[in-house]
Amino acid sequence: MFIYVTFDPNGFVTDYKKVETDGYTKVFVLDSWINQFAQYPDKFRYDSTNQKLLNPGNLPSVSLNQVSTDVTTLQTQLQSLKSTGNQTDSQLGALVSNISVVQGQILGELQNIQTQLNASEKATAVPAANTTNSPA
């Protein structure tokens, strides 16, 4: 595909057009470079000696759109995990509260049993026999 570019003194592309424009140089972009060139035109250089466009060869393999999509997905997952964490915190709070109530009930029942045992022991206690010597 042919495009038209302008470039700085070092040969780096500063602008490009798809139609012929005054002051722009006609160059050929390989089909395999089109996506990279569209995303990173300022990374490509024009070699005026050989009159061709040079691919820097070290461009990211992931598109900016893909990175943006991945970040959005991660943000959504993080928000979901945060929401789940808040629900879990709330459920744990309710569980602790229920455990405290049950613990109080058990302690109350243990006190009742202890009271009943004490009362039962007092009721079944044999009075001590009078062992004092009486004058005969």
Side-chain angles (χ1 to χ4, degrees):
M1 164 181 195
F2 284 101
I3 60 168
Y4 302 88
V5 299
T6 59
F7 47 90
D8 66 15
N10 294 322
F12 287 99
V13 174
T14 56
D15 193 22
Y16 71 96
K17 306 260 186 216
K18 292 182 180 182
V19 295
E20 187 173 357
T21 306
D22 287 339
Y24 284 69
T25 304
K26 182 178 181 178
V27 295
F28 184 76
V29 178
L30 297 174
D31 289 342
S32 60
W33 293 0
I34 291 174
N35 287 336
Q36 288 180 326
F37 184 81
Q39 288 182 35
Y40 308 103
D42 60 335
K43 304 300 181 206
F44 284 76
R45 287 187 52 223
Y46 178 71
D47 180 356
S48 57
T49 305
N50 295 319
Q51 297 182 344
K52 66 179 185 177
L53 197 61
L54 302 174
N55 184 329
N58 62 351
L59 296 174
S61 59
V62 179
S63 72
L64 294 176
N65 289 338
Q66 183 62 44
V67 170
S68 177
T69 300
D70 291 348
V71 167
T72 301
T73 300
L74 289 173
Q75 286 174 332
T76 302
Q77 290 173 349
L78 181 61
Q79 189 63 32
S80 175
L81 288 172
K82 183 178 177 185
S83 176
T84 301
N86 289 341
Q87 290 173 353
T88 302
D89 285 349
S90 177
Q91 291 169 344
L92 285 174
L95 181 60
V96 167
S97 177
N98 289 341
I99 288 172
S100 294
V101 169
V102 170
Q103 182 182 19
Q105 291 171 343
I106 290 171
L107 288 174
E109 287 300 315
L110 285 173
Q111 286 176 346
N112 288 339
I113 292 170
Q114 184 67 41
T115 303
Q116 290 172 357
L117 284 173
N118 288 342
S120 175
E121 286 175 0
K122 286 181 181 178
T124 58
V126 177
N130 191 355
T131 57
T132 56
N133 291 339
S134 48

